[in-house]
Amino acid sequence: RPLATARAVYETRAGVVVRALDGRSPAANGWGEATPLPEHGTETLDECASALGAATAEIRGHSMETVADVDELLSAVCWPHRPAARHGLALALLDLLARRRRWPLARLFSAEPTDRVETALLLGAEAGAEAAAAVGGRDAGFRYLKVKVARGPVEDDVARIRAIREALGPSEGVLLRLDANGGWTRDEAIERIKT
């Protein structure tokens, strides 16, 4: 279903899948993804794809053995104003590096990586209470519920948050994170949190 935020309603997301091939081991592939959001400061999808195409030509034939090699290579071919493209290429190259070693990707950054990454359940800024989703998130083991706000009147946000809290009941350990996507100033956020 669509996701409403303070900035937009997203019905779909478009991105680019990035595959890095290893010349030494043709069966090895590294995978990444680039999903730009121009309204949040990234490049457009076309700019992202164009940057990835240009970077591909630049990196062909370069070798890399370490995370530092990947970083150095990215610094030479990726531009700061193309963060989604850089992310997609970095992820594909790092994934390839990890697969060469037959490691999970996290092992590149830690000798003892965790096998779990805690995430939050995302609740959009749609009108009406999302109490059922909140309770489902608690029952699924989520400790954080990220609630999009600032799409409409503050009274609507307050009503939704109250309904979510009521639906959760006395759920110790379940925290709500409000995400206004820049829709509130700092002072407005402080005032509204008090409500």
Side-chain angles (χ1 to χ4, degrees):
R1 68 180 191 190
L3 173 67
T5 73
R7 295 179 184 242
V9 175
Y10 298 98
E11 297 202 20
T12 60
R13 289 282 305 274
V16 178
V17 175
V18 181
R19 183 174 70 164
L21 302 173
D22 189 340
R24 295 180 303 184
S25 175
N29 292 305
W31 295 95
E33 61 86 18
T35 311
L37 283 171
E39 61 275 16
H40 289 275
T42 74
E43 68 273 31
T44 66
L45 183 61
D46 288 343
E47 291 167 339
C48 178
S50 177
L52 284 167
T56 299
E58 290 289 322
I59 66 170
R60 186 170 280 125
H62 286 268
S63 66
M64 54 175 202
E65 302 300 327
T66 66
V67 172
D69 292 341
V70 172
D71 191 48
E72 185 178 321
L73 189 58
L74 290 171
S75 295
V77 301
C78 285
W79 311 273
H81 58 286
R82 300 288 187 259
R86 182 183 174 96
H87 169 267
L89 185 56
L91 186 54
L93 294 174
L94 292 168
D95 187 42
L96 178 59
L97 190 60
R99 287 174 188 263
R100 276 189 196 157
R101 297 175 185 187
R102 298 177 190 238
W103 288 353
L105 180 60
R107 176 93 185 273
L108 289 177
F109 303 98
S110 171
E112 296 181 26
T114 182
D115 61 354
R116 288 183 44 160
V117 175
E118 190 168 19
T119 62
L121 177 67
L122 175 62
L123 304 177
E126 293 87 357
E130 295 174 298
V135 172
R138 178 200 60 207
D139 294 345
F142 285 95
R143 292 190 311 142
Y144 303 98
L145 303 179
K146 181 177 176 180
V147 183
K148 296 287 188 176
V149 294
R151 178 106 184 123
V154 69
E155 295 79 17
D156 291 352
D157 288 334
V158 170
R160 285 178 54 245
I161 300 304
R162 284 189 178 136
I164 290 168
R165 284 210 178 273
E166 286 175 21
L168 287 170
S171 297
E172 291 186 30
V174 178
L175 302 174
L176 299 183
R177 291 181 174 167
L178 305 184
D179 183 356
N181 287 108
W184 295 340
T185 66
R186 183 177 184 275
D187 289 342
E188 286 172 332
I190 290 169
E191 188 60 36
R192 290 170 184 178
I193 289 295
K194 293 175 184 175
T195 311

